[in-house]
Amino acid sequence: MKARDLMVSPVITVGENETVRDVARLLLAKRISAVPVVAGTGKLVGIVTEADLMRRAEVGTERPHSWWLSLLLGDSAIAADYVKSHAMKVKDIMTRDIKTATPETPLPEIADLFEENHIKRVPIVSKGGDLVGIVSRANIIQAIASARPKLEISLPGATIRERLMDELKQQSWAHVHKLNVTVTNGVVNLWGFVQSEKERQAIAAAAESIPGVAAVNNHLVHEPAFVY
């Protein structure tokens, strides 16, 4: 799947010169947690999230700064915080450093952006910089929930075993030389030693994901420690 397969489009947006209060009302009315900001030409220039509205003078949540913190952060950082909590226009509080993707960006790369940058949504832009959609974490969850299950087919036990071993050989965490697999009537039995409980769980998960597997009996045990 690619971004174009699950992005939300068209996107609710705001202009740079709209007020912070208008944005707050929009988030509530539309039940969204963020809104992209576009310039008059339609180009993406920023994004405003709920986090950008948490420290506001109107409700007394602005961050207090002691004299020692001012010395530590410097006047520039303190002034930036003041702008964030007191400015009235979207252009003054929005986040400008935005991670974006194109409609053709593969879904795994979108997931990487979420994890690596600790963000919850990625605007999707055209090659010309126009905002054409947005993908959120929720959209990925929706894709999982609506995904069709793999076609269940009956594979010979030898084929199931071969597929499982081929999959494990590609994984750096799997110590295949310490494993044995038997398959009878779609039931996979895992034997051997693992170095961790996570490895044990991962091998079982790999077996369960193969079409035609009816059950997995996990007999894997932790490798004993040798005392010299």
Side-chain angles (χ1 to χ4, degrees):
M1 296 182 70
K2 297 183 178 181
R4 57 177 164 77
D5 297 317
L6 72 165
M7 69 183 188
V8 174
S9 181
V11 187
I12 298 170
T13 63
V14 295
E16 297 176 277
N17 292 313
E18 294 192 40
T19 68
V20 172
R21 181 176 296 181
D22 287 338
V23 170
R25 289 173 175 171
L26 180 65
L27 296 182
L28 290 174
K30 299 297 183 181
R31 298 183 179 181
I32 54 179
S33 58
V35 59
V37 183
V38 295
T41 58
K43 305 295 183 184
L44 179 69
V45 294
I47 191 168
V48 176
T49 71
E50 290 175 329
D52 294 316
L53 303 178
M54 288 299 98
R55 298 289 186 174
R56 293 294 301 176
E58 299 96 319
V59 290
T61 57
E62 69 269 37
R63 185 179 287 105
H65 292 295
S66 60
W67 65 269
W68 62 267
L69 191 59
S70 298
L71 291 176
L72 180 65
L73 297 178
D75 290 342
S76 180
I78 301 300
D81 265 358
Y82 186 90
V83 171
K84 200 80 168 179
S85 61
H86 289 76
M88 293 290 105
K89 295 292 182 67
V90 166
K91 63 183 179 182
D92 296 318
I93 69 161
M94 68 183 185
T95 299
R96 295 178 180 272
D97 181 19
I98 319 166
K99 302 300 178 182
T100 63
T102 71
E104 300 303 314
T105 301
L107 196 53
E109 292 184 20
I110 301 288
D112 288 342
L113 286 174
F114 288 151
E115 289 188 342
E116 293 170 2
N117 298 283
H118 305 289
I119 55 178
K120 298 180 179 180
R121 60 201 63 80
V122 173
I124 308 301
V125 297
S126 66
K127 291 182 179 179
D130 293 320
L131 180 67
V132 295
I134 193 166
V135 174
S136 68
R137 290 183 178 183
N139 298 139
I140 293 183
I141 302 303
Q142 292 161 357
I144 294 172
S146 59
R148 293 183 178 181
K150 293 180 178 178
L151 180 63
E152 294 297 331
I153 55 178
S154 296
L155 296 175
T159 303
I160 291 176
R161 184 181 190 279
E162 182 181 1
R163 289 195 180 184
L164 176 57
M165 296 305 290
D166 286 345
E167 172 66 19
L168 294 177
K169 287 175 183 177
Q170 298 178 47
Q171 309 306 320
S172 61
W173 46 261
H175 300 86
V176 182
H177 63 285
K178 300 177 182 179
L179 305 178
N180 187 30
V181 178
T182 61
V183 184
T184 305
N185 297 325
V187 178
V188 177
N189 284 275
L190 303 173
W191 307 90
F193 298 101
V194 293
Q195 294 187 358
S196 68
E197 180 61 22
K198 289 301 182 182
E199 181 184 349
R200 183 175 184 273
Q201 295 172 0
I203 293 171
E208 291 171 349
S209 67
I210 298 175
V213 171
V216 176
N217 296 323
N218 195 341
H219 307 289
L220 297 170
V221 296
H222 289 224
E223 190 171 23
F226 292 95
V227 179
Y228 295 95

